[in-house]
Amino acid sequence: FDPHKLDISDEFKRVIMSLKGNDDKVRVVLNKADQVGEQQLMRVYGALMWSLGKCLGTPEVARVYIGSFSHDGSMQNNDNERLFKKEQADLLKDLMDIPRRSIDRKVNEFVKRVRAAKIHAHLVSHLKAEMPSMFGKEKKQQKMLDNLHEEFNAVQRATHLPVGDFPNMERFRDVLSTYDFSKFKKLDTKLMAKIDEVLTNDIPALLEEFRNPYTDNM
């Protein structure tokens, strides 16, 4: 953006909307800010934030970097030169930090999936353990499906796993209804121990190994 072109056209809005899900990769820059004075710059900044708020539709306020990013570094108005230099430094630091954040995001997604798989294993093994060995299997399975919240609570109390990591109950119930609980596998405690080791030791070591190559030597 620049102070004289703040309007977001329908085409530009469609481009912005297509970036949904990659918000952390987008940087908003108000260029040519040296072409206006301090007071007008405040109005321009406010108008841009209002336009972005309508377009992005998110409660978070987008960070806008203000400056004059000309190829030769010249400015028409030096009133805000100090501010522009600080903003430029922040932007460069932000851009150099992208590789680390990208790795963090991928690792966090991996950790989220591993934790979900761990809870899934505990849930299905618990349901299997509650099934009778001989008679009344169908009746017992239906009872557990009808009172699935109680089974969730039992697993949570036994494992002390975060409640927020548990799956959506209604969706989980729909999927479970197509299976025979008695055919589920028992919990592999050795495998669970390996998973805990990955989460506790291997993941932190992985993050340490992939430090930001752009900032390590700064």
Side-chain angles (χ1 to χ4, degrees), residues 35-54:
Q35 295 182 3
V36 296
E38 291 184 6
Q39 193 171 13
Q40 188 177 356
L41 180 58
M42 292 176 62
R43 297 194 189 99
V44 168
Y45 181 80
L48 177 57
M49 296 298 288
W50 183 79
S51 296
L52 286 172
K54 288 179 58 181

Side-chain angles (χ1 to χ4, degrees), residues 27-160:
R27 301 296 179 271
V28 182
V29 176
L30 177 59
N31 193 21
K32 302 179 182 179
D34 61 308
Q35 295 182 3
V36 296
E38 291 184 6
Q39 193 171 13
Q40 188 177 356
L41 180 58
M42 292 176 62
R43 297 194 189 99
V44 168
Y45 181 80
L48 177 57
M49 296 298 288
W50 183 79
S51 296
L52 286 172
K54 288 179 58 181
C55 181
L56 297 176
T58 57
E60 299 87 5
V61 178
R63 170 68 193 272
V64 177
Y65 294 95
I66 305 171
S68 176
F69 302 94
S70 59
H71 67 282
D72 59 359
S74 61
M75 297 185 187
Q76 293 185 22
N77 190 326
N78 295 326
D79 290 347
N80 297 303
E81 182 178 1
R82 186 177 178 183
L83 170 64
F84 296 161
K85 287 183 177 180
K86 287 184 178 180
E87 288 286 285
Q88 181 174 337
D90 285 350
L91 175 59
L92 292 175
K93 181 180 179 182
D94 191 10
L95 292 175
M96 287 189 291
D97 205 34
I98 288 177
R100 181 190 61 79
R101 281 201 299 272
S102 175
I103 293 171
D104 287 349
R105 183 175 63 254
K106 292 175 181 177
V107 171
N108 288 337
E109 184 62 28
F110 172 73
V111 169
K112 182 180 178 181
R113 294 188 180 210
V114 171
R115 289 166 63 173
K118 181 180 177 180
I119 287 179
H120 180 87
H122 279 287
L123 285 171
V124 296
S125 66
H126 166 78
L127 294 173
K128 176 182 176 61
E130 293 297 309
M131 290 290 287
S133 57
M134 295 292 291
F135 304 106
K137 291 183 178 181
E138 291 185 5
K139 185 177 180 180
K140 178 62 176 179
Q141 177 165 325
Q142 188 58 51
K143 182 179 179 181
M144 286 194 288
L145 282 171
D146 293 339
N147 300 280
L148 194 57
H149 63 283
E150 294 181 3
E151 309 306 326
F152 271 43
N153 290 337
V155 172
Q156 199 281 324
R157 287 195 299 269
T159 62
H160 304 290

